[in-house]
Amino acid sequence: MTRSPLFLAALASSAVPGLDPVTVEGVPARPGDLFEIAYVQDSQDRRWVVKCPATPAAGAMLDDIAALSGLLGRRLDVAMPMVRGSAPVPEGRAAVYLRVPGRPLDFAGLQPGQLAAEVGRTLAHIHNVEHLLFEEAGRPTYDAEAHRRRQLSELDRAAATGHVPTGLLTRWEHTLEDVSLWRFAPSTIHGTFTGQNVLASFDDEDDSASGRVRGVLAWEESRIGDPADDFAELSSVTPPETLDAILEAYAQSRVERPDVHLVRRARLAAEMTPLRTLLHALASGRLEVVERTADELRTLDARVEGDDRRHAEEDAERSERTRAARERADLVLDPDDPERPEPAWDATQPHTPFPMLGETQAISTTTLLDDYDPAAPLRHGGSDTEQPPGAEQSQPVPLVAPDADATAFEIDEVEALPDGVLDLHEGASDFVPVTTSDQPGHDRHP
């Protein structure tokens, strides 16, 4: 159903007391859009947005977002649509809210600088929101395994349509079955973090570096899930240097350290976006959208190999830039300077600006044990403390007891000491024998 802008203006007037429409401007609809939108200016020069669902499912989304905006709106550093009123329609209820100021961004033209850092910090702020708030608003929740299986299910449904090239199906299936890529901490995510949904204002209209993020629109797909999903468009269209700047600002502002495979999963999410469009179009019977999306998938299949080579080069350059930056930082401070500050080890804060590929791999304990010298004195604390290479990135190593009937257990490899090495904390306290209360002559004390 296509409603006229005048009808939408009438809905806005009935939804918000005191809203007296003066002008109205309709937003051109595209095939498959879930909402019909119009901009209304009232007699008090206020600018409003009226958003009307096109399907009952879209109506349910609007109801959920109305609840989320009331809980989340005052906790964000940027603005989001705050529903001020609603009007009934056959598909549910139309929502009316004040128009969020700012202009949509073109992520493909975004350059490193203040605005790119603002985008990274905005994403981090969204991902830092407490899960309880989204759960209270009724937003969907997916842990890492549920998210992976959900995508595998979508892949199976898409394969049954016959519209997805075999090469893409195989490529995506292999990535989704590599469980090592899907170890992440679920976060509160926006769900459709694209340039058209991110609004910015500029102090100087001719200088993009003067821009600041003012608001984020379209929260209908918000949920608790994989933070990489919000990087889908950023990872696919932004220049490599810009993506690095966004990731650095993001990692510095995040409460939890981003996982090393975030960019790779973001690229997969970007590749699979047409697949989800295909499934939605098939479910609603929009055959013209199905045909258009099938063409997009065939084009994607022809270029993924070139994309992989380009991404490999970008990742190598990113790692090299990180290594060079660390070397320059080390040269600034003389290691022999007695006033050189000790490194600040704070496990509650983000670590290096962003974890690069290969930097969180486990090391072998065999090498550590071969290098151990029992005659060497143990050293504690201070700048002389030595740490085995890679100890920060160590992974649990299974150790099996010598008894065949014993149960295997896991222990962090940096805690596994070779035979003959005393506990580093030996002498800190002594064991004191204590008699039990069942022994004769023992007095029980409170």
Side-chain angles (χ1 to χ4, degrees), residues 271-294:
E271 288 183 8
M272 295 183 68
T273 297
L275 179 143
R276 299 186 179 95
T277 302
L278 174 71
L279 293 177
H280 286 290
L282 285 169
S284 58
R286 300 192 302 270
L287 298 183
E288 71 283 356
V289 179
V290 172
E291 292 299 327
R292 185 176 68 246
T293 307

Side-chain angles (χ1 to χ4, degrees), residues 193-241:
F193 197 83
T194 62
Q196 65 180 0
N197 291 332
V198 181
L199 304 181
S201 63
F202 300 86
D203 298 332
D204 183 352
E205 295 295 332
D206 296 327
D207 182 11
S208 62
S210 66
R212 294 189 58 189
V213 175
R214 297 290 301 276
V216 181
L217 307 177
W219 291 77
E220 286 78 19
E221 295 291 334
S222 59
R223 58 189 179 273
I224 298 174
D226 186 358
D229 287 353
D230 278 346
F231 283 91
E233 181 170 292
L234 288 168
S235 67
S236 61
V237 302
T238 55
E241 298 80 5

Side-chain angles (χ1 to χ4, degrees), residues 154-337:
E154 291 177 340
L155 194 60
D156 291 340
R157 289 162 48 203
T161 68
H163 292 291
V164 185
T166 304
L168 289 180
L169 292 173
T170 303
R171 169 189 178 86
W172 293 339
E173 183 179 16
H174 287 169
T175 305
L176 289 170
E177 290 182 346
D178 185 357
V179 295
S180 65
L181 301 179
W182 302 95
R183 294 168 181 162
F184 63 85
S187 302
T188 53
I189 67 174
H190 178 266
T192 52
F193 197 83
T194 62
Q196 65 180 0
N197 291 332
V198 181
L199 304 181
S201 63
F202 300 86
D203 298 332
D204 183 352
E205 295 295 332
D206 296 327
D207 182 11
S208 62
S210 66
R212 294 189 58 189
V213 175
R214 297 290 301 276
V216 181
L217 307 177
W219 291 77
E220 286 78 19
E221 295 291 334
S222 59
R223 58 189 179 273
I224 298 174
D226 186 358
D229 287 353
D230 278 346
F231 283 91
E233 181 170 292
L234 288 168
S235 67
S236 61
V237 302
T238 55
E241 298 80 5
T242 304
L243 181 60
D244 289 353
I246 293 172
L247 291 171
E248 181 175 353
Y250 172 80
Q252 290 175 346
S253 301
R254 279 286 275 131
V255 173
E256 297 181 353
R257 179 182 182 179
D259 68 279
V260 71
H261 296 299
L262 183 144
V263 174
R264 185 171 177 184
R265 294 198 312 277
R267 290 168 180 164
L268 176 67
E271 288 183 8
M272 295 183 68
T273 297
L275 179 143
R276 299 186 179 95
T277 302
L278 174 71
L279 293 177
H280 286 290
L282 285 169
S284 58
R286 300 192 302 270
L287 298 183
E288 71 283 356
V289 179
V290 172
E291 292 299 327
R292 185 176 68 246
T293 307
D295 290 339
E296 293 179 9
L297 289 169
R298 286 189 287 269
T299 302
L300 175 63
D301 184 42
R303 74 164 194 264
V304 288
E305 291 187 4
D307 289 346
D308 286 345
R309 289 191 293 270
R310 176 170 56 85
H311 291 154
E313 294 174 358
E314 292 174 1
D315 292 340
E317 292 173 358
R318 181 180 297 115
S319 297
E320 178 62 24
R321 285 194 296 270
T322 302
R323 184 195 61 78
R326 289 176 176 172
E327 288 182 353
R328 289 193 298 269
D330 290 340
L331 291 175
V332 173
L333 296 176
D334 183 1
D336 297 327
D337 185 355

